[in-house]
Amino acid sequence: MKSAGEDTQRGPVLEASGVTMRFGGLTAVDGVDFTVGEREIVGLIGPNGAGKTTFFNCLTGMYVPTAGRVTYRGTPLSGKPHLVTKTGIARTFQNIRLFPNMTALENVKVGRHCRTTVGALSALVRGPKYRREERETEARARELLDFVGLADTSDGLARNLSYGDQRRLEIARALASDPGLLLLDEPTAGMNPQETQQTKDLVFKIRERGLAVVVIEHDMRFIFTLCDRVAVLVQGRKLTEGSPGEVQRDERVIAAYIGTPAGSEQS
Ligand SMILES: Nc1ncnc2c1ncn2[C@@H]1O[C@H](COP(=O)(O)OP(=O)(O)OP(=O)(O)O)[C@@H](O)[C@H]1O
Ligand SMILES: [Mg+2]
């Protein structure tokens, strides 16, 4: 798969520096620096309300950060989600956002929209260019449904899919925009252990296609066996980051999860 922006720039895929997001008096994300390299799988963990989803929203143009800078392969990002998608960042949502009354195939085709070029007039009269692009879009959507393991359900309505399959469908839809970076917000929430394992295998396969991936997840086993690197957010700030082994051993991380200030427990 040729990713958006590939070959245009060396260096990190994503570089966020000093990203801050305030809502009135609440600082949900506080001066976060975060870098993702080519083909890296990076975990973003932290307790509920730590600012993980808000940080994703700052990366994808859903929020314009109060302060800070985000670049994708060296290009500063605009504050408009559809432009960010076109630049090369795709995402899935913590709360699944599909078109429930459209088929699985149609949902993936919608995800391809930012890569189609045909003008309104050609679409209206269904000219040759429109028909060719439509065929390509459909072929690509079917290939992606097959890739995520949903080839057999392509004509079923999204709302009739199991929860796990809906999450997989969201990934297919995100991939349809040909991203170079995929952001997954709790991709295994509500999944059984077998589906979680399949999702892990799928993320590895996505990396093999040349993408970098950032994953928010509360399932630590999933995170620590999947990611090359893990960053920990606590109350909007990056507490630490490192290899899964380093983060797992870090007492501050354990303390943050159980709500005990680090160092407050005497041995
Ligand atoms: N649009 C908003 N307006 C006001 N406050 C918000 C908004 N979005 C998020 N917040 C607040 O920002 C903080 C961080 O929320 P966020 O959803 O980013 O956390 P999270 O780390 O994704 O948590 P979880 O693991 O529960 O999904 C929370 O205190 C939340 O209430
Ligand atoms: Mg969240």
Side-chain angles (χ1 to χ4, degrees):
M1 185 197 311
K2 180 104 174 162
S3 312
E6 210 170 48
D7 302 332
T8 55
Q9 192 87 26
R10 294 245 166 223
V13 176
L14 180 88
E15 201 160 26
S17 54
V19 171
T20 297
M21 187 72 216
R22 290 196 195 93
F23 300 109
L26 175 84
T27 305
V29 177
D30 195 357
V32 172
D33 298 330
F34 187 73
T35 302
V36 183
E38 293 287 349
R39 293 177 186 239
E40 238 193 329
I41 301 175
V42 184
L44 185 59
I45 65 170
N48 294 118
K52 304 179 296 295
T53 297
T54 304
F55 184 62
F56 267 17
N57 289 340
C58 291
L59 300 180
T60 52
M62 290 186 72
Y63 295 151
V64 177
T66 316
R69 182 180 148 86
V70 184
T71 59
Y72 173 82
R73 291 199 165 115
T75 306
L77 293 181
S78 84
K80 302 231 165 52
H82 68 283
L83 293 179
V84 172
T85 308
K86 196 161 186 175
T87 307
I89 302 180
R91 74 175 295 180
T92 63
F93 293 89
Q94 183 169 351
N95 304 310
I96 296 173
R97 292 190 192 184
L98 291 165
F99 296 104
N101 293 323
M102 285 166 64
T103 67
L105 183 71
E106 286 164 348
N107 269 278
V108 182
K109 284 166 77 175
V110 169
R112 184 110 193 114
H113 180 69
C114 77
R115 297 286 167 227
T116 53
T117 55
V118 79
L121 185 62
S122 183
L124 209 60
V125 300
R126 297 182 176 250
K129 186 167 183 233
Y130 169 83
R131 290 201 304 274
R132 191 181 62 241
E133 210 162 61
E134 178 64 18
R135 273 197 307 276
E136 285 167 5
T137 299
E138 172 142 351
R140 179 90 177 111
R142 287 195 186 278
E143 187 267 321
L144 286 170
L145 283 170
D146 187 40
F147 179 71
V148 302
L150 290 177
D152 296 341
T153 49
S154 57
D155 297 324
L157 295 183
R159 69 179 150 90
N160 293 336
L161 294 178
S162 72
Y163 200 65
D165 282 351
Q166 290 192 21
R167 290 218 173 267
R168 269 193 279 270
L169 178 55
E170 271 219 315
I171 293 176
R173 186 180 61 182
L175 292 174
S177 67
D178 286 349
L181 173 66
L182 178 64
L183 309 178
L184 302 173
D185 196 344
E186 301 199 20
T188 72
M191 285 189 174
N192 63 37
Q194 193 197 353
E195 289 173 319
T196 299
Q197 179 62 44
Q198 286 168 350
T199 302
K200 195 192 321 179
D201 295 341
L202 179 58
V203 175
F204 283 133
K205 277 198 324 181
I206 289 169
R207 184 242 297 273
E208 279 168 27
R209 288 186 157 209
L211 278 77
V213 184
V214 183
V215 194
I216 295 174
E217 200 29 270
H218 287 288
D219 180 340
M220 292 302 139
R221 202 177 126 76
F222 176 83
I223 284 285
F224 290 134
T225 54
L226 173 72
C227 298
D228 305 311
R229 193 156 49 85
V230 179
V232 187
L233 274 194
V234 178
Q235 293 180 356
R237 295 208 176 135
K238 192 170 76 180
L239 177 71
T240 184
E241 73 180 312
S243 69
E246 286 165 345
V247 168
Q248 259 172 305
R249 285 190 297 273
D250 193 323
E251 286 183 12
R252 293 171 304 164
V253 177
I254 300 160
Y257 270 92
I258 60 177
T260 321
S264 70
E265 287 187 0
Q266 303 296 315
S267 55

